[in-house]
Amino acid sequence: MTGIKYAWSALGGDPSLPGRVTTVTRAGTLPAHLPVRRLARACVGVCALAAAELGARRTGAAALPGVRVDDAAVATAFTSERHLLVDGRAPVQFAPLSRFWRAADGWVRTHANYPHHRARLLDALGLPGDASPEDVAARVAGRPALEVEDAVYGAGGLAVALRSPGEWAAHEQAVAVAARPLVERGRPDTAHARVLPPLDAGATPLLPAAGLRVLDLTRVLAGPVATRTLGLLGADVLRLDPPWLPELPDQHADTGFGKRSATLDLTTDRAAFEELLASADVVVTGYRPGALDRFGLSPEALAERRPGVVVAQVSAWGAYGPWAGRRGFDSLVQVATGIAEIEGAADRPGALPAQALDHGTGYLLAAGVLRALTEQSYDGGSRFVRLALARTARWLMEEMEETEEMEEGTEDKAEHKAQAKAEAESVPEGGESYEGPDAWLAETDSALGRLRYARPPLSFADGPADWARPPVPWGSAPSRWAQPPGPKARADLARRA
């Protein structure tokens, strides 16, 4: 429970509420050297707790619905992209050039799943567009790892040199990350916020986010996980993408549950975006910090045009420090922070058993939005919530162990890590064994084909057990809300025109 208490405190929650959470612990889920299972459990637990809190607020219930976190459901959801089948076909997780490469003095990991990132990687290495993995391996092998990192990033691609935890701790970006809280929260104004209508206390399922309008400007993977979760809880989630930047189809299928998908060019269709913003309750962005500011999408600019909005932002490295403007993905953050060294072998770096930084940060981001909405219901004000994968990595690598030690009174860190390893390999007292993911998978028909998918891990009394809608083809929806904006939103838009 310590991880749940820590994360709930970071979200500004009432410290008495984690007592409403019960856990089903299962050995064998998300096995790793680092406490991945505890991090995953905590992230899902606080998200479900935040949903229950908002649900109780909107139904007028005196007590929160009970929350249940099952390690098996969490582990399955944290690897949802691996369980997806589309008409029986398993998606490819990483492209051939997204992998580790041995450099002259260490290791480099690249990310080239998107065609434009692949092209920039090859350009940085001086290779033609049809270069093979063997060509890349030969070119990287002759250069220092940091030189490759700098060259590829300079060309707009993605590559990170492997660092040890100590090397990362001394890095200027790590210092900047460590100075920030796990969840950054703020209130840029005291504006009136839309009062959410009450919910019928007897209706099932209980959908705490029913009636909310969420603009989803996110990509890979934490942001889409957050908005997928808000869709589960009843929000009208509209994902917007530039028409020239399609999402990878299988990735879209995995994270598209509970949403509609539209394309919108912010450079030419600003009027259409402003009309959407005029009646949006939440805006979630997942691009590099500052990348959308020129479109007026900073929290301050959004709150000025749409007072009372909740703005949620997620990035790889954080909105501060020398790497604030860098692109990044979960796999690359693992390499930079030293996670890949911890999880690797003597002769090769490794990885976590799931893209846990992405999934965990996604559930924390959704929890931050839900908590912001609950706080708004008491005292109004626009809100922002900001998270970074690198900050979640610090929690996993350092703070998770520290808080466990404080809770258990264990002063010897080696002893504590041995205890944690033993816990991961054995069935805890009162726990259950893990029989695999099958019980947590479901199937549905969709416009994309027959889908097998991971069921949502959030569980609270009378809450939804599944999404109300399957994913739709990318860009297939009109760029408008499911219901037209009300009179006030139309008046606000007319006044600003």
Side-chain angles (χ1 to χ4, degrees):
M1 292 293 289
T2 306
I4 293 176
K5 291 178 182 177
Y6 180 89
W8 187 247
S9 175
L11 290 161
D14 181 341
S16 70
L17 295 185
R20 299 291 296 167
V21 181
T22 59
T23 61
V24 179
T25 55
R26 299 180 189 267
T29 57
L30 303 176
H33 295 289
L34 290 166
V36 178
R37 182 172 63 183
R38 294 204 298 270
L39 176 136
R41 183 191 300 153
C43 293
V44 171
V46 295
C47 190
L49 186 59
E53 180 188 36
L54 181 59
R57 175 65 173 163
R58 295 187 67 186
T59 59
L64 264 65
V67 173
R68 184 175 186 267
V69 185
D70 191 311
D71 281 349
V74 172
T76 305
F78 265 56
T79 51
S80 61
E81 65 275 11
R82 302 179 192 175
H83 298 298
L84 178 72
L85 294 178
V86 181
D87 288 332
R89 175 186 59 81
V92 176
Q93 299 300 315
F94 287 101
L97 300 189
S98 295
R99 48 169 275 194
F100 282 108
W101 309 91
R102 190 182 289 277
D105 59 351
W107 291 88
V108 174
R109 177 141 192 168
T110 55
H111 197 288
N113 283 7
Y114 288 99
H116 58 292
H117 290 157
R118 182 183 188 278
R120 293 168 185 171
L121 169 65
L122 295 177
D123 182 62
L125 297 176
L127 292 170
D130 60 353
S132 68
E134 291 75 21
D135 296 329
V136 174
R139 191 60 56 93
V140 173
R143 302 175 67 175
L146 289 176
E147 181 181 299
V148 174
E149 175 183 283
D150 290 341
V152 174
Y153 265 107
L158 294 112
V160 170
L162 177 68
R163 290 169 172 83
S164 69
E167 289 170 333
W168 174 249
H171 194 281
E172 190 175 351
Q173 186 62 30
V175 173
V177 166
R180 302 284 176 150
L182 176 64
V183 182
E184 293 186 75
R185 304 161 55 247
R187 181 177 176 178
D189 60 39
T190 57
H192 172 76
R194 181 168 79 93
V195 177
L196 297 176
L199 298 175
D200 182 355
T204 56
L206 171 60
L207 298 174
L212 284 167
R213 288 172 168 168
V214 179
L215 281 177
D216 177 2
L217 287 78
T218 70
R219 297 175 72 84
V220 203
L221 182 61
V225 166
T227 50
R228 181 180 69 182
T229 303
L230 296 175
L232 168 74
L233 298 172
D236 178 11
V237 179
L238 180 62
R239 172 163 169 167
L240 296 178
D241 285 286
W244 62 86
L245 197 61
E247 184 58 279
L248 300 173
D250 293 331
Q251 194 162 266
H252 174 71
D254 176 51
T255 60
F257 284 85
K259 310 177 189 180
R260 293 176 299 119
S261 170
T263 60
L264 190 70
D265 186 344
L266 294 179
T267 61
T268 60
D269 296 331
R270 289 300 299 276
F273 179 80
E274 293 300 320
E275 184 174 357
L276 289 168
L277 178 63
S279 54
D281 300 293
V282 179
V283 178
V284 187
T285 67
Y287 290 76
R288 287 176 297 125
L292 299 177
D293 287 2
R294 69 183 189 277
F295 301 114
L297 295 181
S298 68
E300 296 76 16
L302 286 167
E304 183 177 348
R305 303 200 311 285
R306 174 59 167 146
V309 72
V310 174
V311 181
Q313 298 177 309
V314 62
S315 64
W317 307 108
Y320 30 77
W323 283 17
R326 288 198 176 195
R327 298 173 178 86
F329 294 97
D330 182 303
S331 59
L332 302 183
V333 176
Q334 290 190 41
V335 173
T337 58
I339 291 174
E341 180 179 280
I342 293 172
E343 297 295 336
D347 61 340
R348 187 176 178 85
L352 297 174
Q355 294 190 71
L357 305 180
D358 260 331
H359 285 273
T361 305
Y363 288 110
L364 286 177
L365 191 68
V369 169
L370 296 167
R371 286 244 59 254
L373 293 166
T374 297
E375 291 176 342
Q376 271 189 338
S377 71
Y378 289 99
D379 53 12
S382 304
R383 310 278 171 153
F384 75 82
V385 182
R386 185 180 295 130
L387 285 102
L389 304 191
R391 186 60 183 83
T392 304
R394 175 178 170 80
W395 179 33
L396 173 65
M397 297 174 69
E398 300 184 34
E399 295 164 350
M400 184 74 68
E401 296 287 1
E402 291 173 359
T403 53
E404 291 287 341
E405 288 165 17
M406 288 188 292
E407 180 81 3
E408 298 173 10
T410 304
E411 296 182 0
D412 188 316
K413 290 195 174 184
E415 176 189 348
H416 182 75
K417 289 185 177 180
Q419 291 174 357
K421 187 174 187 296
E423 175 197 334
E425 295 173 350
S426 62
V427 179
E429 184 177 352
E432 301 179 25
S433 61
Y434 177 53
E435 304 298 335
D438 289 353
W440 308 99
L441 300 175
E443 293 192 9
T444 187
D445 291 316
S446 77
L448 304 176
R450 182 72 177 172
L451 302 179
R452 188 191 75 174
Y453 63 97
R455 290 163 46 199
L458 267 66
S459 178
F460 56 93
D462 296 323
D466 209 339
W467 289 277
R469 67 174 80 197
V472 298
W474 182 84
S476 62
S479 54
R480 61 174 179 265
W481 296 114
Q483 298 294 330
K488 183 179 185 303
R490 290 196 296 269
D492 289 344
L493 182 65
R495 186 167 57 250
R496 290 195 295 269

